[in-house]
Structure formats: structure tokens, C-alpha cells
Amino acid sequence: MTQKWNYLPITSEQLEASQLLAKELGISPILGRLLVERGITTVSQARKFFRPQLPELHDPFLMKDMDKAVDRLNIAMGRKERILIYGDYDVDGTTAVALVYRFLQQFYSNIDYYIPDRYNEGYGVTRRGVDYAAETGATLVIVLDCGIKAIDEIAYAKEKGIDFIICDHHVQDAELPDAVATLNPKRLDNTYPYEHLSGCGVGFKFMQAFALSNGIEFHHLIPLLDLCVVSIASDIVPIMGENRILAYHGLKQLNSNPSVGLKAIIDVCGLTDRELTMGDIIFKIGPRINASGRIQNGKEAVDLLTEKDFAVAHAKASQINQYNETRKDLDKSMTEEANTIVEALEDLSDRRSIVIYNEDWHKGVIGIVASRLTEVYYRPAVVLTRTDTLATGSARSVQGFDVYKAIEYCRDLLENFGGHTYAVGLSMKVENVPAFIARFEDYVSQHILPEQCNAVIDVNAEIDFRDISPKFCNDLKKFNPFGPENEKPVFCTHKVYDYGTSKVVGREQEHIKLELVDNKSNNVMNGIAFGQSSQVRFIKTKQSFDICYTIEENTHKRGEVQLQIVDIKPDKSQA
């Protein structure tokens, strides 16, 4: 698909501010511009951005109900009540459960954890989970990364004498469950200064508040930050504000002294002895933790993340790695089937959304397949399968379109739904699927913008190879960790040439390993263009072409820079 290059505009005021900032900080004006684009206009703001400090974390008691949550937890521990830590089966939920369980276990032993089964119970707080709490004598349940819509289930728990503390970050309905405390920075009556915490991040704030109330020094919380960064990266939440502080120090912890379970996953991924990045979490660590809940049971992921013996943890990580291999096979076959169905749709060119249903698909992989469809067709996508009498599924969105609102528009057709702007889980009666397809398409077609339905690459700046100096690359590294609201910058260079040594590589000869020069410097730049081997014939014609790319550190040659080519276009001036 042809990708449009969108050169991000800059106002004269922004340009002036970026040049002044660059001069004061002693960095390239190009990097000064990146700071201004992120709303950073003063030296003090820039220093805080480049060196996030843990003391800058917000007071956790600013969050609505935090005092109630801490009081109830302290009472439970004082009375020696049994406490159950309950969470969702994805990365965010399992890391959150592991974090709270590991921290409290240092001070309290009458504690247990529970992860609902994706297939037998489904998402969130379930009656079976409440029954488990009652059977094991738990009188307090701390629920993480879900619970904000569990009105009936928490009422059922209350009948059994069980209290709930909710720690969630999903969008609430008008009514909140009858819990002792509801910690959620997205509450309609929110008082907390930062609303984009992950579910694990909310759990961390709860433990921070608990530590403060009991005179436990903050350094006892630092070993938990590796779990925070895994959740932040995997759940695709913004990496500015408080999340940036948690992610920055979480990456430091993950690289310097990861917990036993994460160390085992890092080893199984083949990432030992290299500096881990947010990309490593998103593409290697996170999918393996997720695979447990997708293929077997998310409880196994928590078992691994709370394990203290490395040999045992390594065996568990190896098992989870096998689940990930199964997940990849399912992902590949289901994505191929989904593409075949979509391509056969008669009105595909007229539709602004994609909704497909196959009752035989594996429930654990449909979210991934929905993501693949949005990447290929640039439309919000819903993929549904059958679970007992219901069609259950996942929705994913394109940049800038709120799929949660689109699903909410169809709520009278649904049994349940919940999620974020870009990802929603939902269920409905099978007979409602045709009506849902029509209603969802109606909403999307009325609200989606034309530019959201096209492949667009946002280009931050046009630069020459001579700009890519060692100092420039070192200063650019200070922008880490990258993620939403602090995306890895994309640069463009015009009129580049093959140095003569570029070649096709990869198991299926699908990538190009490039050596490039431009006409403004003598620098030979190494690059890799994944999945773009079809361009190699043109590259070898010795004509100039334009590239847009991100600047990466070569993982095979430490200290060496490599351009990761996003797109290649012929130089129009030669036409």
C-alpha cells in the first residue's frame, strides 16, 4: 500500500522556541524541535524530561478513595483476614497481581491470588471468582486491571460478606460498583493529576500509599518497577507524565536487577547481556506473558512472575515460551483466514469498518487478528468468535479514532463490553451480530475522518546524513523511553544512493540490508528495511531515492548506528 508522508508542521513561534531551547541545552535544533512538539519549552522542563526523578511521582493520596482503600487494607491485615489479589489474564493484569502480591507478601502471609480463566469464565470479576474467594475464606478482594463495571458481581460478593477494593484504569459507566474503594484515574469525579496510568500503575500507586501509611521507605517499592514498565509498554499507554517516570526507572530496574521471573523470560527470549528497550518488551517479553492467558491460564504467568527460585522460574518461562509458539501458529493461520474473508466482502471498498465472525476461531488470539486487520486495511476492526451461546470478540482501532465510543453506540445489542480508546472487548447474542455489523458501520462511517483510513507516516524532520553525528545520537537517546505521546521520531533524507553493497537478506529474502550515502556528506549509513525486498531492483538502478526512517542502535554491533527504514520512494526530481 502506498504510504503518504505527512511532514509535521511547525509554527514560527515553535521554531523560535526550539532554537532557543537547543542553544541553552547545547543540543541540535532538530532535537530542540522534538522537545517543543512534546510541549516542552523551558530548560527546567527539558531536564525533567531527560532525567525523570522518582520523587516527582504524585502523592498517591490525591487519587479518589485512596484513603479508604488503605484504611480497609490496614484493617484486614490487623484482623488477619484472608486477602485475595484478583486480576485480568493479560500482561497488565498479571503484572499488577504479581506486583501487589509480591509487595504485601513481605509483610503479610494470609494472602492468595486468582486469575479468571479466559475460556471458562471470561473477562473481569466473575461469580466463579467470587465463589473461590468465599470458599477459601477471603473477606477482602483487591481487584486489578478490571472491576470498574462489575456491579452485579460485587453486589453478589457483598451478600457473601466479601469487600472489594477496585484498582482499574478502564472507562467507567455512569454507575460505579458498590466497593469499599474504587481507585481509577479515569473516574468521572477523578481528582488525580494523571489519568493515563496502566492497571499495574494503579496497583503501584496503591502500594505506594500503603507504604506511606505504614512508614515503609520508598526504596522497598523500587524492585517492583520492572513489572510497571512491562505493563506500560505492553498496554500501549502514553509515556509522558507519571508513566514516563515509572517507565524510565522501570527500564533501569529491568536492565540492572530484574525479578527472578522476568530474568527467566529475558533469558528464554535470548535477550540476556544486552540493553533492553520498550521494543523488547512489546515484541518479546509481553507476548510471552500474554501467551499464558491466551493459550492456557493467566495464573501461570503470575506463578512465574512471583517465583523466587531461578531454576523453577526458567522451567516455567520455557513452558510459557511454548505457549507463545502455539499462539504464533494460531495467529498466522487465523490472520490468513480473516484476510480471505475480508477480501471476499463485496462492499469492502465502500465500508469504513470491518466486522467478521467465525465461531471456530480461537478466543485467545482474536485481539491480535483484529490488530492485524487494522494494520492492513486502515479501518477499525472487530473480530468475533463463539463462546457457548455468545459471540465474543475484540475491537481495535486506527490512529485517532475512538473505537470505545463506536462500541458504546451499539450497547443495547451487547451483553458486555469494556476497554480503551483503541482496544475494546465485547460480547453479544449470536443473533445480534448482523445488527451490530450495520450499527457499528453506521457510527464509524459518520465519525471517522478520511485521513484516518489511509496509511500515513508522520515525519518529524528532514535531515541530512551529516546531521547524524555521535553527539546527535547520544542526545536522541535521552528521549527514551519511547511510546505513545513520545513516539520514536521519524526522519526523512532526500536524494540518497545505494553505496553499491545493499543486498536482500532474511530467511525468505524479505528484507534489505542497506549501505547508503547522500550527496551532502561522506557518511556511509547502514540501514535495514524490513519486508521491503520488492524495492531492491529500483535501489540497484543507481538512481537517487528518498527514505524515511528511525535511528536505532545496532544490537549486533554495540555503539554503531543503524537506520530502520520505514518507507522508500523514488526521488521525484529525477522524474
Side-chain angles (χ1 to χ4, degrees):
M1 179 175 286
T2 304
Q3 301 192 80
K4 180 186 174 186
W5 296 9
N6 177 39
Y7 296 92
L8 295 174
I10 186 167
T11 65
S12 56
E13 291 85 357
Q14 285 178 315
L15 182 62
E16 187 179 339
S18 67
Q19 289 171 341
L20 184 61
L21 199 54
K23 186 177 179 182
E24 290 176 327
L25 291 167
I27 61 174
S28 162
I30 298 158
L31 301 182
R33 174 177 171 170
L34 294 181
L35 287 171
V36 171
E37 284 175 356
R38 285 152 177 75
I40 297 161
T41 55
T42 68
V43 171
S44 64
Q45 287 175 334
R47 286 188 175 134
K48 282 186 176 183
F49 177 78
F50 286 147
R51 291 189 293 276
Q53 301 296 313
L54 288 168
E56 292 166 8
L57 291 172
H58 299 304
D59 177 354
F61 285 99
L62 293 173
M63 193 177 293
K64 197 89 173 174
D65 281 3
M66 186 63 82
D67 52 345
K68 295 177 186 175
V70 170
D71 287 347
R72 182 64 185 90
L73 178 55
N74 283 332
I75 288 167
M77 292 171 76
R79 291 177 181 165
K80 297 190 167 36
E81 294 179 51
R82 186 157 184 78
I83 300 170
L84 182 67
I85 315 299
Y86 187 118
D88 187 24
Y89 39 63
D90 70 358
V91 181
D92 195 13
T94 53
T95 53
V97 169
L99 184 149
V100 172
Y101 180 81
R102 271 177 45 196
F103 189 67
L104 292 181
Q105 197 186 35
Q106 298 173 81
F107 315 103
Y108 193 70
S109 59
N110 195 12
I111 187 168
D112 188 14
Y113 56 81
Y114 185 89
I115 304 291
D117 186 279
R118 184 190 289 260
Y119 304 101
N120 298 327
E121 296 174 74
Y123 170 80
V125 179
T126 65
R127 286 197 166 226
R128 186 183 295 189
V130 172
D131 289 340
Y132 176 84
E135 288 159 13
T136 56
T139 50
L140 176 62
V141 176
I142 299 170
V143 58
L144 296 139
D145 192 36
C146 55
I148 199 67
K149 292 189 173 187
I151 291 168
D152 294 341
E153 292 79 9
I154 289 176
Y156 175 64
K158 197 160 187 179
E159 289 171 10
K160 292 178 174 286
I162 300 168
D163 285 339
F164 264 74
I165 294 170
I166 298 170
C167 303
D168 204 351
H169 69 136
H170 294 97
V171 178
Q172 73 158 94
D173 276 340
E175 185 185 353
L176 288 173
D178 186 13
V180 170
T182 299
L183 308 178
N184 187 337
K186 289 195 180 78
R187 277 180 63 157
L188 296 176
D189 58 353
N190 173 49
T191 55
Y192 195 66
Y194 187 73
E195 66 173 312
H196 299 299
L197 292 169
S198 65
C200 186
V202 177
F204 180 85
K205 298 304 295 187
F206 184 19
M207 292 303 94
Q208 185 189 0
F210 170 79
L212 278 169
S213 79
N214 287 282
I216 300 165
E217 292 185 11
F218 185 85
H219 68 82
H220 291 289
L221 291 158
I222 290 174
L224 305 172
L225 290 171
D226 56 0
L227 291 167
C228 276
V229 73
V230 169
S231 84
I232 287 167
S234 302
D235 221 50
I236 321 293
V237 290
I239 312 236
M240 291 294 275
E242 194 163 38
N243 277 345
R244 179 168 175 81
I245 301 170
L246 294 170
Y248 179 90
H249 289 278
L251 267 183
K252 280 176 71 173
Q253 184 68 22
L254 195 65
N255 278 292
S256 63
N257 190 21
S259 60
V260 170
L262 285 173
K263 190 173 180 1
I265 299 174
I266 290 163
D267 191 59
V268 163
C269 291
L271 296 172
T272 306
D273 297 328
R274 54 167 279 191
E275 187 174 355
L276 299 169
T277 65
M278 297 297 269
D280 293 321
I281 297 171
I282 293 166
F283 297 112
K284 302 274 186 162
I285 297 169
R288 282 165 174 80
I289 297 172
N290 243 341
S292 180
R294 292 187 188 282
I295 305 302
Q296 200 64 33
N297 189 299
K299 185 176 183 296
E300 291 188 33
V302 183
D303 293 343
L304 169 60
L305 295 172
T306 55
E307 181 56 57
K308 295 174 183 175
D309 183 295
F310 184 73
V312 175
H314 202 275
K316 289 177 178 175
S318 298
Q319 178 61 65
I320 280 175
N321 194 50
Q322 284 303 308
Y323 295 153
N324 193 51
E325 292 303 313
T326 303
R327 188 273 306 166
K328 285 196 281 190
D329 291 341
L330 283 167
D331 172 8
K332 187 171 185 291
S333 62
M334 282 171 55
T335 299
E336 287 171 358
E337 288 177 29
N339 280 323
T340 301
I341 293 169
V342 173
E343 292 297 340
L345 293 172
E346 290 181 4
D347 59 346
L348 177 61
S349 60
D350 299 324
R351 296 188 68 82
R352 291 291 169 266
S353 68
I354 293 169
V355 184
I356 54 176
Y357 170 63
N358 183 323
E359 64 179 27
D360 298 321
W361 277 341
H362 194 285
K363 186 180 176 185
V365 189
I366 50 178
I368 300 172
V369 176
S371 293
R372 302 263 188 264
L373 294 178
T374 63
E375 290 165 9
V376 173
Y377 300 100
Y378 294 94
R379 288 164 231 196
V382 182
V383 178
L384 300 163
T385 187
R386 185 164 181 156
T387 306
D388 298 325
T389 60
L390 295 178
T392 60
S394 290
R396 296 293 184 269
S397 194
V398 293
Q399 187 66 34
F401 182 78
D402 190 338
V403 76
Y404 184 91
K405 287 183 179 174
I407 298 293
E408 192 174 39
Y409 181 70
C410 310
R411 68 183 307 152
D412 60 299
L413 299 171
L414 306 177
E415 297 297 302
N416 202 0
F417 73 99
H420 308 286
T421 302
Y422 293 116
V424 179
L426 65 158
S427 63
M428 70 192 81
K429 290 174 181 171
V430 172
E431 58 264 32
N432 285 352
V433 170
F436 172 80
I437 292 172
R439 181 93 63 83
F440 185 73
E441 169 64 20
D442 179 50
Y443 182 93
V444 175
S445 62
Q446 287 185 48
H447 292 86
I448 201 163
L449 301 173
E451 57 267 28
Q452 291 170 335
C453 299
N454 294 302
V456 176
I457 300 167
D458 286 332
V459 177
N460 294 89
E462 297 176 46
I463 64 173
D464 302 319
F465 286 170
R466 65 187 173 193
D467 294 315
I468 309 173
S469 65
K471 182 179 185 326
F472 179 88
C473 294
N474 281 330
D475 288 340
L476 180 60
K477 273 171 133 183
K478 294 174 186 173
F479 283 76
N480 273 302
F482 291 110
E485 295 188 11
N486 180 38
E487 299 283 358
K488 192 171 284 184
V490 174
F491 301 107
C492 166
T493 301
H494 296 285
K495 296 183 184 299
V496 303
Y497 301 86
D498 173 32
Y499 188 58
T501 47
S502 299
K503 60 184 179 182
V504 173
V505 295
R507 189 179 298 171
E508 296 176 22
Q509 300 286 282
E510 68 271 41
H511 315 308
I512 314 173
K513 190 174 187 309
L514 297 146
E515 288 192 324
L516 303 171
V517 291
D518 67 0
N519 57 8
K520 297 201 177 163
S521 71
N522 296 320
N523 292 4
V524 179
M525 298 300 302
N526 292 315
I528 183 78
F530 292 114
Q532 298 184 59
S533 57
S534 60
Q535 299 270 26
V536 77
R537 284 187 183 175
F538 171 75
I539 288 168
K540 287 295 186 183
T541 61
K542 298 192 176 177
Q543 294 183 71
S544 64
F545 50 95
D546 302 335
I547 57 171
C548 65
Y549 54 88
T550 59
I551 297 173
E552 313 287 343
E553 190 167 20
N554 191 329
T555 53
H556 302 293
K557 295 179 183 176
R558 183 164 280 188
E560 187 176 291
V561 167
Q562 177 174 262
L563 309 183
Q564 188 163 311
I565 312 296
V566 180
D567 200 17
I568 300 168
K569 286 188 175 178
D571 173 13
K572 286 183 180 176
S573 66
Q574 293 189 147

